[in-house]
Amino acid sequence: MQDLLGLSPLDVARAVREIAAEPFRAAQIFKWIHERRAADFSEMTNLPKAMREALAKDFVIGLPKIALRTPAPDGTEKFLFELSDGARIEAVYIVESKKTPSWTDPETPGASRVTICLSSQAGCAVDCAFCVTGRMGAGRNLTAGEIVGQYLAIARAKSFGPHEANVVFMGMGEPLLNVANVVRALDLLEEEVSPKRTTVSTAGIVPGIETLAGRPRRPNLAVSLSAADDETRTKLMPINRTYPIAPLISALKRWPLERGRRITFEYVLIAGVNDRTADAVKLAALLRPLPSKVNLIPLNESKEWLPGLLRPADAVVNAFAKVVADGGVPVTVRWSKGLQADAACGQLKGREEPRRPAPQAR
Ligand code: SF4
Protein backbone atom coordinates (compact mmCIF):
# COMPACT_ATOMS: atom_id res chain seq x y z
CA MET A 1 0.00 0.00 0.00
CA GLN A 2 1.40 3.37 -0.98
CA ASP A 3 0.93 6.39 1.28
CA LEU A 4 -0.38 9.47 -0.57
CA LEU A 5 0.42 11.76 2.34
CA GLY A 6 3.67 13.60 1.73
CA LEU A 7 3.39 13.47 -2.07
CA SER A 8 3.32 16.63 -4.17
CA PRO A 9 0.29 17.21 -6.43
CA LEU A 10 2.35 15.93 -9.38
CA ASP A 11 3.42 12.79 -7.52
CA VAL A 12 -0.17 12.10 -6.42
CA ALA A 13 -1.23 12.34 -10.09
CA ARG A 14 1.54 9.92 -11.11
CA ALA A 15 0.67 7.47 -8.33
CA VAL A 16 -3.08 7.27 -9.03
CA ARG A 17 -3.00 7.59 -12.82
CA GLU A 18 -4.15 4.01 -13.44
CA ILE A 19 -7.22 4.48 -11.26
CA ALA A 20 -7.90 8.20 -11.73
CA ALA A 21 -6.49 9.11 -15.15
CA GLU A 22 -8.05 12.56 -15.59
CA PRO A 23 -5.82 15.28 -14.04
CA PHE A 24 -8.77 16.89 -12.26
CA ARG A 25 -9.33 13.66 -10.30
CA ALA A 26 -5.78 13.76 -8.89
CA ALA A 27 -6.33 17.42 -7.98
CA GLN A 28 -9.55 16.46 -6.20
CA ILE A 29 -7.77 13.73 -4.24
CA PHE A 30 -4.96 16.11 -3.23
CA LYS A 31 -7.52 18.69 -2.13
CA TRP A 32 -9.44 16.13 -0.08
CA ILE A 33 -6.26 15.18 1.76
CA HIS A 34 -4.84 18.65 2.33
CA GLU A 35 -7.76 21.07 2.44
CA ARG A 36 -10.58 18.84 3.60
CA ARG A 37 -8.47 16.62 5.86
CA ALA A 38 -9.88 13.31 4.62
CA ALA A 39 -8.52 10.32 6.52
CA ASP A 40 -10.15 7.74 4.26
CA PHE A 41 -11.08 7.51 0.58
CA SER A 42 -14.70 6.80 1.52
CA GLU A 43 -14.94 10.48 2.59
CA MET A 44 -14.14 11.70 -0.95
CA THR A 45 -17.75 11.97 -1.95
CA ASN A 46 -17.21 13.74 -5.26
CA LEU A 47 -15.28 10.73 -6.61
CA PRO A 48 -17.23 7.82 -8.13
CA LYS A 49 -17.77 5.00 -5.63
CA ALA A 50 -15.85 2.47 -7.75
CA MET A 51 -12.87 4.86 -7.89
CA ARG A 52 -12.90 5.30 -4.11
CA GLU A 53 -12.94 1.53 -3.63
CA ALA A 54 -10.11 1.01 -6.11
CA LEU A 55 -8.01 3.70 -4.41
CA ALA A 56 -8.56 2.09 -1.00
CA LYS A 57 -7.15 -1.21 -2.29
CA ASP A 58 -3.78 0.31 -3.33
CA PHE A 59 -3.30 3.44 -1.24
CA VAL A 60 -3.56 4.83 2.26
CA ILE A 61 -3.66 8.33 3.70
CA GLY A 62 -1.13 7.81 6.46
CA LEU A 63 -2.32 10.25 9.12
CA PRO A 64 -0.53 9.46 12.38
CA LYS A 65 -2.57 7.66 15.03
CA ILE A 66 -3.46 9.83 18.03
CA ALA A 67 -2.20 7.86 21.04
CA LEU A 68 -3.04 10.49 23.67
CA ARG A 69 -4.57 13.96 23.87
CA THR A 70 -3.76 16.11 26.88
CA PRO A 71 -5.71 19.37 27.07
CA ALA A 72 -4.81 22.21 29.43
CA PRO A 73 -7.28 24.74 30.84
CA ASP A 74 -5.79 27.56 28.72
CA GLY A 75 -6.89 25.81 25.51
CA THR A 76 -3.47 24.36 24.67
CA GLU A 77 -3.69 20.69 23.79
CA LYS A 78 -0.83 18.29 23.39
CA PHE A 79 -1.06 15.35 20.99
CA LEU A 80 1.03 12.20 21.29
CA PHE A 81 1.12 10.45 17.91
CA GLU A 82 2.12 6.91 17.04
CA LEU A 83 3.69 6.46 13.61
CA SER A 84 3.47 3.37 11.41
CA ASP A 85 6.71 1.88 12.81
CA GLY A 86 5.62 2.50 16.42
CA ALA A 87 7.76 5.65 16.89
CA ARG A 88 6.03 8.21 19.11
CA ILE A 89 6.18 11.94 18.57
CA GLU A 90 4.45 15.02 19.91
CA ALA A 91 2.74 18.07 18.48
CA VAL A 92 0.93 20.88 20.26
CA TYR A 93 -2.18 22.90 19.49
CA ILE A 94 -1.59 26.33 21.04
CA VAL A 95 -4.22 29.02 21.47
CA GLU A 96 -2.41 32.33 21.62
CA SER A 97 -3.77 35.21 23.63
CA LYS A 98 -5.04 38.15 21.63
CA LYS A 99 -3.03 40.43 23.89
CA THR A 100 0.38 38.93 23.22
CA PRO A 101 2.42 38.92 20.01
CA SER A 102 2.27 35.74 17.98
CA TRP A 103 5.24 33.40 17.64
CA THR A 104 5.09 33.97 13.91
CA ASP A 105 3.74 37.47 13.50
CA PRO A 106 4.82 39.63 16.42
CA GLU A 107 4.26 42.83 14.47
CA THR A 108 0.49 42.44 14.60
CA PRO A 109 -0.66 41.67 18.13
CA GLY A 110 -4.40 41.62 18.48
CA ALA A 111 -5.37 39.01 15.91
CA SER A 112 -6.87 35.75 17.10
CA ARG A 113 -4.52 32.87 16.43
CA VAL A 114 -3.96 29.20 16.73
CA THR A 115 -0.43 27.86 16.35
CA ILE A 116 0.51 24.26 15.66
CA CYS A 117 3.91 23.18 16.94
CA LEU A 118 5.29 20.27 14.89
CA SER A 119 8.03 17.70 15.45
CA SER A 120 10.63 16.99 12.77
CA GLN A 121 12.44 14.00 14.34
CA ALA A 122 11.42 11.22 16.74
CA GLY A 123 13.98 12.32 19.33
CA CYS A 124 16.97 14.62 19.08
CA ALA A 125 20.73 14.20 19.04
CA VAL A 126 21.46 17.87 19.74
CA ASP A 127 21.16 17.39 23.51
CA CYS A 128 20.34 20.88 24.77
CA ALA A 129 20.60 20.87 28.57
CA PHE A 130 17.18 22.52 29.06
CA CYS A 131 15.19 20.17 26.80
CA VAL A 132 13.33 17.00 27.72
CA THR A 133 13.58 15.65 24.18
CA GLY A 134 17.34 16.03 24.42
CA ARG A 135 17.32 13.63 27.39
CA MET A 136 15.75 10.90 25.20
CA GLY A 137 18.57 10.91 22.69
CA ALA A 138 18.53 10.68 18.92
CA GLY A 139 15.55 9.47 16.96
CA ARG A 140 14.96 8.95 13.27
CA ASN A 141 14.10 11.69 10.81
CA LEU A 142 10.40 12.10 10.09
CA THR A 143 9.27 11.93 6.49
CA ALA A 144 7.54 14.93 4.89
CA GLY A 145 4.26 13.00 5.17
CA GLU A 146 4.78 12.38 8.89
CA ILE A 147 5.47 16.09 9.44
CA VAL A 148 2.46 17.31 7.46
CA GLY A 149 0.37 14.49 8.94
CA GLN A 150 0.71 15.97 12.45
CA TYR A 151 -0.75 19.24 11.19
CA LEU A 152 -3.59 17.58 9.29
CA ALA A 153 -4.48 15.22 12.15
CA ILE A 154 -4.72 18.16 14.57
CA ALA A 155 -6.69 20.24 12.04
CA ARG A 156 -9.12 17.32 11.74
CA ALA A 157 -9.37 16.82 15.50
CA LYS A 158 -9.79 20.52 16.29
CA SER A 159 -11.85 21.39 13.19
CA PHE A 160 -9.96 24.36 11.84
CA GLY A 161 -9.67 25.16 8.17
CA PRO A 162 -6.89 26.16 5.77
CA HIS A 163 -5.15 29.46 6.58
CA GLU A 164 -6.57 29.51 10.12
CA ALA A 165 -3.40 28.48 11.95
CA ASN A 166 0.27 29.33 12.16
CA VAL A 167 2.90 26.61 12.15
CA VAL A 168 6.12 26.45 14.16
CA PHE A 169 8.78 23.76 13.93
CA MET A 170 9.62 23.78 17.63
CA GLY A 171 8.59 20.29 18.66
CA MET A 172 10.80 17.23 18.95
CA GLY A 173 13.97 17.25 16.87
CA GLU A 174 16.23 19.72 15.09
CA PRO A 175 14.48 20.60 11.81
CA LEU A 176 17.66 21.58 10.01
CA LEU A 177 19.23 18.17 10.66
CA ASN A 178 16.30 16.81 8.61
CA VAL A 179 16.32 19.63 6.13
CA ALA A 180 15.31 17.71 2.97
CA ASN A 181 12.08 16.40 4.51
CA VAL A 182 11.35 19.69 6.28
CA VAL A 183 11.68 21.55 2.96
CA ARG A 184 9.28 19.06 1.32
CA ALA A 185 6.86 19.51 4.22
CA LEU A 186 7.11 23.31 3.92
CA ASP A 187 6.17 23.02 0.23
CA LEU A 188 3.12 20.90 1.10
CA LEU A 189 2.10 23.13 3.99
CA GLU A 190 2.08 26.15 1.71
CA GLU A 191 -1.31 24.91 0.51
CA GLU A 192 -2.53 25.57 4.05
CA VAL A 193 -0.24 28.09 5.73
CA SER A 194 1.65 30.94 4.10
CA PRO A 195 5.44 30.95 4.69
CA LYS A 196 4.93 34.26 6.50
CA ARG A 197 2.94 32.38 9.12
CA THR A 198 5.43 29.52 9.38
CA THR A 199 8.50 29.54 11.62
CA VAL A 200 11.40 27.11 11.61
CA SER A 201 13.30 27.07 14.88
CA THR A 202 16.88 25.83 14.86
CA ALA A 203 19.65 25.32 17.38
CA GLY A 204 21.87 27.04 14.83
CA ILE A 205 22.73 24.45 12.16
CA VAL A 206 24.60 26.75 9.76
CA PRO A 207 24.43 24.56 6.59
CA GLY A 208 20.67 24.10 7.10
CA ILE A 209 20.20 27.86 7.54
CA GLU A 210 22.06 28.35 4.25
CA THR A 211 19.82 25.78 2.51
CA LEU A 212 16.66 27.57 3.68
CA ALA A 213 18.17 30.95 2.79
CA GLY A 214 18.53 29.79 -0.82
CA ARG A 215 14.82 29.01 -1.24
CA PRO A 216 12.61 31.42 -3.17
CA ARG A 217 9.99 31.42 -0.40
CA ARG A 218 11.30 31.27 3.11
CA PRO A 219 9.66 30.70 6.46
CA ASN A 220 10.44 32.93 9.42
CA LEU A 221 13.60 31.89 11.17
CA ALA A 222 14.00 31.44 14.92
CA VAL A 223 17.35 30.59 16.46
CA SER A 224 17.70 29.01 19.86
CA LEU A 225 20.59 30.97 21.38
CA SER A 226 20.27 30.87 25.20
CA ALA A 227 23.68 32.45 25.77
CA ALA A 228 25.67 35.26 24.20
CA ASP A 229 29.10 33.77 24.92
CA ASP A 230 30.55 30.51 23.62
CA GLU A 231 31.50 29.11 27.02
CA THR A 232 27.99 29.28 28.48
CA ARG A 233 26.32 28.32 25.20
CA THR A 234 28.49 25.22 24.80
CA LYS A 235 27.49 24.08 28.30
CA LEU A 236 23.81 24.55 27.48
CA MET A 237 23.93 23.56 23.81
CA PRO A 238 26.83 21.25 22.87
CA ILE A 239 26.08 21.93 19.16
CA ASN A 240 27.86 25.26 19.81
CA ARG A 241 31.16 23.38 19.50
CA THR A 242 30.33 22.67 15.84
CA TYR A 243 28.59 25.96 15.08
CA PRO A 244 29.90 28.61 17.51
CA ILE A 245 28.30 32.01 17.89
CA ALA A 246 30.51 34.02 15.46
CA PRO A 247 29.94 31.85 12.32
CA LEU A 248 26.28 31.47 13.29
CA ILE A 249 25.80 35.24 13.44
CA SER A 250 27.69 35.62 10.13
CA ALA A 251 25.30 33.14 8.46
CA LEU A 252 22.33 35.02 9.93
CA LYS A 253 23.62 38.32 8.57
CA ARG A 254 23.37 36.71 5.10
CA TRP A 255 19.77 35.53 5.67
CA PRO A 256 17.61 37.38 3.10
CA LEU A 257 15.08 39.09 5.35
CA GLU A 258 12.05 40.77 3.84
CA ARG A 259 11.49 44.39 4.72
CA GLY A 260 10.07 44.81 8.22
CA ARG A 261 10.84 41.21 9.30
CA ARG A 262 13.24 40.18 12.03
CA ILE A 263 15.06 37.02 13.05
CA THR A 264 13.77 35.67 16.34
CA PHE A 265 16.23 34.55 18.99
CA GLU A 266 14.98 32.22 21.70
CA TYR A 267 16.64 32.45 25.05
CA VAL A 268 15.71 29.92 27.72
CA LEU A 269 16.37 31.60 31.06
CA ILE A 270 17.85 29.35 33.74
CA ALA A 271 18.47 30.58 37.28
CA GLY A 272 22.15 31.20 38.02
CA VAL A 273 23.26 29.97 34.57
CA ASN A 274 22.41 32.67 32.01
CA ASP A 275 20.10 35.11 33.80
CA ARG A 276 22.52 37.75 35.12
CA THR A 277 22.45 41.41 34.13
CA ALA A 278 25.83 40.94 32.44
CA ASP A 279 24.30 38.16 30.30
CA ALA A 280 21.50 40.49 29.22
CA VAL A 281 23.97 43.28 28.34
CA LYS A 282 26.04 40.83 26.25
CA LEU A 283 22.92 39.54 24.51
CA ALA A 284 21.77 43.02 23.51
CA ALA A 285 25.25 43.92 22.24
CA LEU A 286 25.43 40.73 20.14
CA LEU A 287 22.01 41.12 18.53
CA ARG A 288 21.71 44.90 18.15
CA PRO A 289 23.43 44.94 14.72
CA LEU A 290 20.91 42.42 13.33
CA PRO A 291 17.20 42.96 12.61
CA SER A 292 16.29 40.76 15.54
CA LYS A 293 13.94 40.22 18.42
CA VAL A 294 14.24 38.05 21.51
CA ASN A 295 11.78 35.60 22.98
CA LEU A 296 12.70 35.05 26.61
CA ILE A 297 11.45 31.68 27.82
CA PRO A 298 11.70 31.10 31.57
CA LEU A 299 12.74 27.46 31.98
CA ASN A 300 9.86 25.02 32.07
CA GLU A 301 11.15 23.13 35.12
CA SER A 302 11.08 19.37 35.35
CA LYS A 303 12.50 17.84 38.52
CA GLU A 304 12.27 14.45 36.86
CA TRP A 305 13.87 15.32 33.52
CA LEU A 306 16.00 18.40 34.17
CA PRO A 307 17.23 17.95 37.74
CA GLY A 308 19.13 20.91 39.16
CA LEU A 309 17.88 23.39 36.57
CA LEU A 310 15.61 26.07 38.01
CA ARG A 311 13.35 28.72 36.57
CA PRO A 312 14.37 32.24 37.64
CA ALA A 313 11.97 34.30 39.74
CA ASP A 314 9.54 36.39 37.68
CA ALA A 315 11.24 39.60 38.87
CA VAL A 316 14.58 38.36 37.51
CA VAL A 317 12.94 37.51 34.17
CA ASN A 318 11.38 40.96 33.93
CA ALA A 319 14.64 42.69 34.88
CA PHE A 320 16.54 40.68 32.24
CA ALA A 321 13.92 41.65 29.63
CA LYS A 322 14.24 45.33 30.53
CA VAL A 323 18.03 45.32 30.11
CA VAL A 324 17.72 43.67 26.67
CA ALA A 325 14.99 46.11 25.59
CA ASP A 326 16.96 49.10 26.93
CA GLY A 327 19.91 47.75 24.93
CA GLY A 328 17.92 48.26 21.73
CA VAL A 329 16.57 44.77 21.01
CA PRO A 330 12.79 44.12 21.09
CA VAL A 331 11.95 41.43 23.61
CA THR A 332 8.92 39.36 24.57
CA VAL A 333 8.65 37.11 27.61
CA ARG A 334 7.01 33.77 26.82
CA TRP A 335 5.35 32.79 30.05
CA SER A 336 4.79 29.04 29.59
CA LYS A 337 1.57 27.84 28.04
CA GLY A 338 0.02 24.51 28.81
CA LEU A 339 2.18 23.55 31.76
CA GLN A 340 -0.59 21.29 32.94
CA ALA A 341 -0.52 19.52 29.58
CA ASP A 342 3.20 18.67 29.85
CA ALA A 343 3.57 21.06 26.92
CA ALA A 344 7.33 21.42 27.18
CA CYS A 345 8.97 19.67 24.27
CA GLY A 346 9.19 15.92 24.90
CA GLN A 347 7.45 15.72 28.26
CA LEU A 348 4.46 13.67 27.13
CA LYS A 349 6.45 11.03 25.30
CA GLY A 350 9.01 11.25 28.08
CA ARG A 351 6.65 9.72 30.60
CA GLU A 352 7.26 6.37 28.94
CA GLU A 353 10.80 6.57 27.59
CA PRO A 354 14.27 5.68 28.83
CA ARG A 355 16.56 8.68 29.08
CA ARG A 356 20.17 9.72 29.22
CA PRO A 357 21.58 11.65 32.17
CA ALA A 358 21.29 15.43 32.26
CA PRO A 359 24.56 17.25 31.47
CA GLN A 360 25.98 19.65 34.03
CA ALA A 361 24.96 23.13 32.98
CA ARG A 362 26.41 24.90 35.98
S1 SF4 B 1 15.77 22.12 22.13
FE1 SF4 B 1 15.41 21.34 20.04
S2 SF4 B 1 17.51 21.02 19.25
FE2 SF4 B 1 17.73 21.17 21.48
S3 SF4 B 1 17.61 19.01 22.21
FE3 SF4 B 1 15.50 19.89 22.28
S4 SF4 B 1 14.58 19.27 20.35
FE4 SF4 B 1 16.82 19.05 20.11
Side-chain angles (χ1 to χ4, degrees):
M1 300 281 262
Q2 187 180 357
D3 190 354
L4 294 185
L5 196 56
L7 299 189
S8 67
L10 194 61
D11 287 339
V12 169
R14 281 198 195 110
V16 303
R17 64 180 177 270
E18 286 183 11
I19 297 172
E22 306 100 317
F24 80 94
R25 291 295 185 200
Q28 281 177 316
I29 293 166
F30 188 86
K31 195 167 175 171
W32 270 107
I33 295 172
H34 287 272
E35 285 181 30
R36 303 179 76 172
R37 291 69 189 275
D40 193 281
F41 295 105
S42 63
E43 297 171 31
M44 302 182 181
T45 48
N46 57 359
L47 302 184
K49 189 159 181 278
M51 187 180 284
R52 285 182 259 153
E53 288 170 356
L55 286 166
K57 281 191 190 135
D58 289 348
F59 300 102
V60 290
I61 304 162
L63 287 177
K65 192 173 128 206
I66 298 174
L68 189 65
R69 291 175 66 165
T70 312
D74 63 8
T76 295
E77 184 164 355
K78 191 148 196 177
F79 288 75
L80 181 67
F81 289 115
E82 186 167 312
L83 305 177
S84 55
D85 64 351
R88 291 189 156 204
I89 55 163
E90 299 175 6
V92 192
Y93 171 91
I94 303 164
V95 180
E96 295 187 278
S97 157
K98 290 186 181 186
K99 291 183 194 146
T100 55
S102 161
W103 281 99
T104 49
D105 192 9
E107 276 77 30
T108 56
S112 176
R113 286 171 303 257
V114 162
T115 295
I116 310 303
C117 176
L118 301 177
S119 291
S120 54
Q121 298 179 305
C124 189
V126 174
D127 199 19
C128 302
F130 46 78
C131 173
V132 173
T133 302
R135 302 279 69 70
M136 291 171 203
R140 71 167 173 85
N141 283 340
L142 303 188
T143 65
E146 288 168 337
I147 295 169
V148 174
Q150 298 164 58
Y151 172 87
L152 293 174
I154 293 177
R156 190 175 163 89
K158 302 297 290 184
S159 302
F160 62 82
H163 306 289
E164 289 180 12
N166 300 333
V167 162
V168 294
F169 285 77
M170 290 185 189
M172 297 169 62
E174 164 51 59
L176 298 188
L177 290 180
N178 182 18
V179 72
N181 287 320
V182 166
V183 162
R184 254 177 247 133
L186 288 171
D187 286 340
L188 288 167
L189 282 167
E190 271 188 32
E191 303 288 327
E192 293 265 340
V193 189
S194 116
K196 284 189 174 162
R197 299 183 68 184
T198 303
T199 297
V200 170
S201 171
T202 177
I205 311 296
V206 170
I209 291 170
E210 287 167 345
T211 299
L212 280 190
R215 284 172 53 80
R217 291 177 309 282
R218 288 169 297 282
N220 300 302
L221 189 65
V223 177
S224 179
L225 194 65
S226 290
D229 65 89
D230 282 320
E231 190 186 341
T232 310
R233 190 165 191 264
T234 298
K235 280 186 198 159
L236 291 173
M237 304 178 69
I239 194 76
N240 193 65
R241 285 194 195 97
T242 311
Y243 304 113
I245 291 172
L248 172 60
I249 295 290
S250 296
L252 296 173
K253 283 183 178 160
R254 296 191 296 272
W255 177 266
L257 267 180
E258 287 169 33
R259 185 197 285 262
R261 310 297 284 190
R262 294 170 184 270
I263 294 172
T264 301
F265 289 86
E266 292 146 7
Y267 193 105
V268 177
L269 271 171
I270 305 168
V273 177
N274 62 354
D275 66 342
R276 290 159 294 220
T277 305
D279 297 318
V281 170
K282 251 188 277 175
L283 181 65
L286 179 70
L287 300 186
R288 204 180 300 121
L290 277 172
S292 57
K293 57 184 182 270
V294 170
N295 279 330
L296 283 181
I297 307 165
L299 178 74
N300 201 348
E301 277 181 21
S302 168
K303 286 196 178 65
E304 182 190 5
W305 285 93
L306 309 172
L309 296 187
L310 298 174
R311 178 189 181 102
D314 290 359
V316 174
V317 174
N318 286 326
F320 192 99
K322 184 168 186 318
V323 173
V324 176
D326 289 348
V329 181
V331 60
T332 303
V333 179
R334 297 287 175 185
W335 302 106
S336 300
K337 306 254 330 155
L339 289 174
Q340 302 89 335
D342 285 341
C345 170
Q347 284 189 11
L348 204 58
K349 171 174 165 168
R351 287 176 184 169
E352 306 155 20
E353 297 282 317
R355 67 200 71 174
R356 58 187 176 193
Q360 290 302 311
R362 288 165 191 264

